[in-house]
Amino acid sequence: MRMTNLFFTTLRETPADAEVISHQLMVRAGYIRKLTSGIYTYLPLMWRVIRKISDIIREEMDRKGAQEILMPILQPEELWQESGRWDAYGKELMRLEDRHGRKGALGPTHEEIITALARDEIRSYRQLPVNLYQIQDKFRDEIRPRFGLLRGREFLMKDAYSFDADEAGLEASYQKMIEAYTNIFNRCGLETRMVRSDTGAIGGSASHEFMVLTRTASGENDVLYCDSCSYAANSNRAESCLPFAQVDSGFLEVKESDTPGVKTIEELADFFKIEPSAICKTLVYIVDNKPVMALIRGDRAVEEIKLKNALGANDIRIANNAEIEELTQKSGFDTQAGFIGPAGINVRVVGDESIRDLKNFVIGINKTDKHLTGANWGKELRLPEKIADIRLAFAGDFCPECGGKFEITRGIEVGNIFKLGIRYSEKMQATFTDEDGQEKPFIMGCYGIGITRTAAAAIERYHDKDGIQWPMSIAPYHVIVIPVNVKDEMQMMTAEKIYKELCEKNIETVIDDRDERPGVKFKDADLIGFPIRITAGKTLSEGMVEIKIRSTGEMFKVPVQEAVAKAVELVNSNHYTRMNF
Ligand code: ATP
Ligand code: MG
């Protein structure tokens, strides 16, 4: 490719709406252009990266016996009604209506479509196992599209679905996908960690996420991992053992104490000179349109997804003050938010495990400007019947499996795999005839990779102040050849010759034949992130060209006639590609 023909423009300025580095660099280096919120055009450089990631995915999926198909983007309402997700999926599902008034949605994921396909096509256990995948645009009307390709509304995903006759078959299919995913991300130059995760809107019995660990804000997930065993989990899922019990409150007798205007846990702790762990915190959530009270030790936070799962609910949000006050009024109190508690309120209450052992603690009693001090669970103040682990795990908590200590890091979820079991096949009556002649629902699994998010995660992981440092395997091109001055015949001739020979050897090469200042060319090469740069400039007088390795910054001279062989060696060498490929 000649730079004069390459469809791209680089920008010196960072776009105002780009908060994270991958978004900034993709826009500045001419990889993507925004159409509207969360929706982007992939320009030629980006599309090459996407195709490379896709090709790696195809090879590794095919190697595990999966077969590629392509399903429609537009999905009819009926199938979503069958699975029960038309109502449950919520606003992320982009719904629309055709000219006949038939409702449908743009596919955010394809469980319904593939289950209907399997129901029609697979009759017998002899046709199992099957694993079908596709690479396709997905649409999710995300509440906060942001961070460029990390969280778009329209994005490219690989989604695969396995069908097995029994649980053992699913286990084998699941393991194969773990192997495929490990290979895929390794080959993309990305070190990932597999963590346990919440099954979310997809459902099923177990799921794991593949996380690229980052230290930057772009890692939207907190990942907790044990310092002594292999336990690792998304914070929306991580179980933990509390590192210490409540710190003694010092209140020996139970009484109503005045707490004028003292509402928050911090204010209460300050006011009474006690630790937050001596306070029982009361929170109100609106869960599937009904209020629910959640109680938790004052030093801990509720993880909404864990609470939602504990209640088997679809939808959850924190209540506002008006809703809290309305709830207390319904039970005959007139309490400001900040003084509420479970006693006397007619509402479903869930307690976190952390409240069970509280002693002589402080809690709201639905009287404005008062709290109960020295409280204990008993007849007056009942420990909720439902106690569950609904707390956010913290670094320093103990690992539930080995008692080691949790550490925390940020991660970008690039892949997610689920054991669906019969979640869809049962509801949609997708069955096969088993060996024993019985009709049984398929045992399913599903496996996603965010392809555009993976590209963005690679940039988050590999960049410096000058631009992108692509791993060789997914770089849009391997080499850029730069004649410093296109008017210098010797430089131009040498560059052209190297360029031609590299192309003949199937090295993906760009020649920067623009009549630009050297500074501009070098800046653009660094920004776009070509892994190898060959410069034909002043050193030609010594019969040498200069080679620069983008990822390490290393620079050296080689004789002109050895330049091609050296570049080929570098492209193929593991050292400079960071990972095997
Ligand atoms: P998240 O929790 O980040 O919203 P998810 O768990 O809903 O994602 P899955 O249904 O597991 O996503 O989708 C499979 C993969 O698709 C994810 O692992 C991620 O890599 C990618 N993905 C999901 N949502 C988006 C998005 N809005 N933009 C880009 N990629 C996405
Ligand atoms: Mg996910």
Side-chain angles (χ1 to χ4, degrees), residues 74 76 78 95-105:
L74 188 63
E78 298 86 77
R95 295 158 212 252
L96 29 79
E97 211 175 279
D98 72 9
R99 63 168 74 198
H100 305 292
R102 286 185 293 241
K103 295 202 178 90

Side-chain angles (χ1 to χ4, degrees), residues 89 92 108-109 140 142 148-158 202 209-210 220-221 413-416 418 448-454:
Y89 207 91
E92 267 182 36
T109 173
R140 294 184 183 180
E142 298 274 355
L149 299 195
L150 284 173
R151 185 168 297 283
R153 290 199 297 158
E154 188 173 321
F155 57 96
L156 203 60
M157 198 204 284
K158 185 283 300 178
I202 307 273
E209 288 164 344
F210 286 76
E220 280 193 301
N221 301 88
E413 174 198 329
V414 284
N416 203 176
F418 300 79
I449 291 182
I451 296 179
T452 38
R453 188 185 281 182
T454 299

Side-chain angles (χ1 to χ4, degrees), residues 87-194:
D87 296 321
Y89 207 91
K91 290 194 173 150
E92 267 182 36
L93 188 62
M94 186 74 207
R95 295 158 212 252
L96 29 79
E97 211 175 279
D98 72 9
R99 63 168 74 198
H100 305 292
R102 286 185 293 241
K103 295 202 178 90
L106 298 180
T109 173
H110 276 68
E111 284 77 15
E112 281 76 4
I113 316 308
I114 198 91
T115 308
L117 182 80
R119 172 169 71 190
D120 293 343
E121 303 300 323
I122 307 175
R123 304 245 164 268
S124 153
Y125 72 94
R126 286 192 198 90
Q127 291 166 277
L128 299 174
V130 177
N131 186 330
L132 300 172
Y133 74 96
Q134 64 172 348
I135 290 179
Q136 192 204 42
D137 261 344
K138 292 282 183 279
F139 200 101
R140 294 184 183 180
D141 201 4
E142 298 274 355
I143 182 165
R144 269 190 301 275
R146 56 183 183 166
F147 300 163
L149 299 195
L150 284 173
R151 185 168 297 283
R153 290 199 297 158
E154 188 173 321
F155 57 96
L156 203 60
M157 198 204 284
K158 185 283 300 178
D159 45 326
Y161 305 86
S162 66
F163 297 86
D164 280 281
D166 52 27
E167 286 292 334
L170 169 60
E171 190 55 45
S173 298
Y174 200 75
Q175 285 307 323
K176 277 190 188 169
M177 287 299 104
I178 290 178
E179 286 164 25
Y181 275 41
T182 307
N183 293 343
I184 287 165
F185 294 120
N186 280 348
R187 285 182 60 188
C188 290
L190 288 169
E191 209 180 310
T192 51
R193 183 137 188 172
M194 188 171 94

